[in-house]
Amino acid sequence: MDDQAQDCVPPGDCILFSTADWHTPYWTNKQHTARWMAERGWRILYVESVGLRNPAASSRRDWNRLFRRLIRGVNTLIAGPEEVEPNLWVLPPLMFPGKHHVPVVRLFNQALLRSTIARFLKNKHSVQPLVWTYHPFMLGAIDSLETGKLAYHCVDDLAAVPGVDAQAFNREELLLLNRCDAVFTTSESLRLKCAPHNSNTYYHPNVVDFVHFNSALNKTEIPLDLTHVAEPRIVYHGVLSDFKVDFELINEATRLRPDWQWIFIGEEREGQNNTAIKTLRQRSNVHFLGYKDYDDLPRYLAHMAVGLLPTLLNDYTKSMFPMKYYEYLAAGLPVVTTPLDFSKTCHSGLEVGSDANSFVTAIEKQIIRGKLTAAEAIKFVGVNTWGQRMTAMLSILRKSN
């Protein structure tokens, strides 16, 4: 499959407002979108997270991040945004985090960010840049700037994230929806939420770097930390967050099938103290391999039998469309998920389990059916690649009134 879809929109300048820092180890669609556009000639100003929630008083991670952000923000005020890749500059906002609902704080934050952006645009001789945002707390930062079209890429129900002021978020999101030229959502439930406020709302699922993950089908050398692990190997890769992963379900499933080897690639979310994870670490059929670089993931997935999406169901996760779904399929892995909304409409290579017993039954079905062929991987992923998706969204945006 060729992921280099024919571009139908000439490149220009773009301000991308993200909810993720550029250098975070676990990349999301924000970084992938920015890189895809930059590689095709767009000049991207990647504005890192403005801090949607208040920092937890007991979280060393939160305060360390704020300290690093302060240092980087001051350096940016002096030297300007850093060019991290060709055509791609990163701006860490210098602002009070998590206080967007306080008018005076919001005005100060937005004014400071607006002046930094304006200076960058002037230095780069940028004319009417496209604004592509993943959150609504940026409208004040573009007021009075001569910008082009405005797109809202709604990939999560951020109002449901613990620590986020849901009332303030929903109020600002409504303002954003009323101003957008186009809205793109990654789930049907998010589309239903946004569409009443913007008629140019489109449902586009998350996508995959197909060429990268499909390379798993050609990997033969097994990583050293898997050589002692028997088959079948069942895998989950990503942040081991007890807010998103149902470790109680996994704990029971691993007990039910001690003959399967359960592989976890990723690190725990800092500050959590989950007893189920502690129990899992004591099981001989459970293997925590730690964080693996994005470039190494296909080499590990090549030696797995089934990819897992054991997502804990809550207000935030129910509207998720996991990027891992198409990553697993591209790598040739059949998938088992808990009953997230996306599983109601996506069925290719997928089985669903709602509790430990049905989850194990679903995995057994996938082990029996076997890994995907190269043709099945292409068919199941379909148009859900970065090249085809970005081309489609940019085309819609160009044609919007």
Side-chain angles (χ1 to χ4, degrees):
M1 178 186 292
D2 183 6
D3 194 38
Q4 306 300 315
Q6 179 66 39
D7 298 350
C8 62
V9 178
D13 294 336
C14 175
I15 309 169
L16 188 149
F17 291 93
S18 177
T19 57
D21 291 351
W22 178 258
H23 294 290
T24 185
Y26 298 98
W27 267 32
T28 66
N29 36 30
K30 295 91 177 177
Q31 294 97 329
H32 285 296
T33 296
R35 173 174 282 175
W36 187 93
M37 295 177 72
E39 287 177 346
R40 283 149 187 82
W42 289 79
R43 296 195 303 174
I44 308 295
L45 178 62
Y46 183 97
V47 184
E48 293 184 331
S49 172
V50 295
L52 298 180
R53 62 177 180 82
N54 290 317
S58 60
S59 174
R60 180 181 301 177
R61 176 179 178 272
D62 280 359
W63 289 108
N64 285 342
R65 178 174 175 271
L66 287 177
F67 179 74
R68 292 193 300 269
R69 168 62 62 80
L70 174 63
I71 299 301
R72 294 176 62 221
V74 171
N75 289 338
T76 299
L77 282 180
I78 298 171
E82 175 191 6
E83 186 172 10
V84 294
E85 295 183 1
N87 294 325
L88 204 161
W89 291 262
V90 171
L91 193 168
L94 185 61
M95 54 176 51
F96 288 102
K99 296 294 183 180
H100 305 287
H101 61 290
V102 179
V104 65
V105 173
R106 183 168 66 248
L107 288 172
F108 174 81
N109 285 343
Q110 299 292 294
L112 186 58
L113 181 56
R114 183 170 59 248
S115 66
T116 306
I117 293 174
R119 185 166 65 251
F120 174 85
L121 297 179
K122 182 178 179 180
N123 290 340
K124 298 300 178 185
H125 305 289
S126 178
V127 179
Q128 293 190 321
L130 164 68
V131 178
W132 189 286
T133 186
Y134 289 88
H135 67 84
F137 292 112
M138 37 59 68
L139 292 173
I142 62 173
D143 284 343
S144 77
L145 298 180
E146 293 187 10
T147 57
K149 292 189 175 181
L150 172 59
Y152 178 28
H153 199 176
C154 181
V155 300
D156 291 300
D157 186 3
L158 294 174
V161 175
V164 172
D165 186 319
Q167 184 177 10
F169 183 93
N170 290 330
R171 181 176 61 246
E172 291 298 310
E173 184 179 57
L174 182 59
L175 293 175
L176 174 61
L177 290 170
N178 287 324
R179 286 183 55 175
C180 279
D181 294 288
V183 179
F184 306 108
T185 73
T186 54
S187 73
E188 179 63 15
S189 61
L190 290 174
R191 188 195 69 80
L192 292 174
K193 176 186 177 183
C194 296
H197 310 290
N198 191 302
S199 59
N200 289 327
T201 297
Y202 305 87
Y203 165 46
H204 287 305
N206 267 328
V207 292
V208 62
D209 182 345
F210 183 84
V211 173
H212 178 65
F213 281 94
N214 193 242
S215 67
L217 298 182
N218 302 317
K219 305 291 185 184
T220 56
E221 184 179 355
I222 189 169
L224 287 176
D225 46 0
L226 284 180
T227 54
H228 70 288
V229 181
E231 296 183 293
R233 305 184 190 98
I234 319 301
V235 67
Y236 170 84
H237 82 81
V239 182
L240 305 180
S241 167
D242 57 7
F243 176 60
K244 296 181 181 179
V245 180
D246 192 341
F247 286 107
E248 292 292 345
L249 180 149
I250 290 296
N251 199 3
E252 179 62 14
T254 59
R255 186 189 67 80
L256 290 172
R257 292 309 300 258
D259 52 325
W260 295 346
Q261 303 303 309
W262 304 73
I263 312 297
F264 292 91
I265 299 175
E267 295 177 336
E268 281 194 70
R269 179 173 58 88
E270 184 176 335
Q272 69 184 26
N273 186 24
N274 190 292
T275 56
I277 297 179
K278 293 181 180 178
T279 301
L280 284 170
R281 291 187 181 277
Q282 297 172 4
R283 295 192 189 280
S284 61
N285 63 327
V286 179
H287 311 269
F288 288 87
L289 303 187
Y291 170 75
K292 301 298 178 184
D293 189 84
Y294 180 80
D295 291 340
D296 285 336
L297 286 177
R299 193 162 60 95
Y300 281 86
L301 298 182
H303 301 279
M304 305 297 170
V306 179
L308 298 183
L309 296 171
T311 309
L312 185 66
L313 302 182
N314 53 44
D315 288 342
Y316 173 68
T317 61
K318 66 182 181 182
S319 62
M320 286 174 51
F321 193 110
M323 292 180 68
K324 284 182 278 292
Y325 171 54
Y326 286 123
E327 291 174 354
Y328 288 145
L329 293 181
L333 300 183
V335 183
V336 174
T337 184
T338 48
L340 295 172
D341 283 354
F342 91 95
S343 65
K344 298 174 183 176
T345 55
C346 295
H347 307 289
S348 296
L350 187 66
E351 293 287 343
V352 181
S354 58
D355 56 25
N357 284 305
S358 60
F359 203 74
V360 164
T361 299
I363 295 173
E364 191 161 33
K365 288 181 180 179
Q366 297 293 48
I367 292 175
I368 292 172
R369 74 86 62 200
K371 297 183 70 168
L372 276 59
T373 65
E376 285 178 321
I378 292 173
K379 178 182 177 181
F380 291 172
V381 170
V383 299
N384 299 293
T385 64
W386 283 108
Q388 298 194 60
R389 179 72 79 250
M390 288 302 301
T391 298
M393 291 195 293
L394 288 169
S395 179
I396 289 172
L397 193 59
R398 181 188 62 174
K399 297 174 183 177
S400 63
N401 295 323

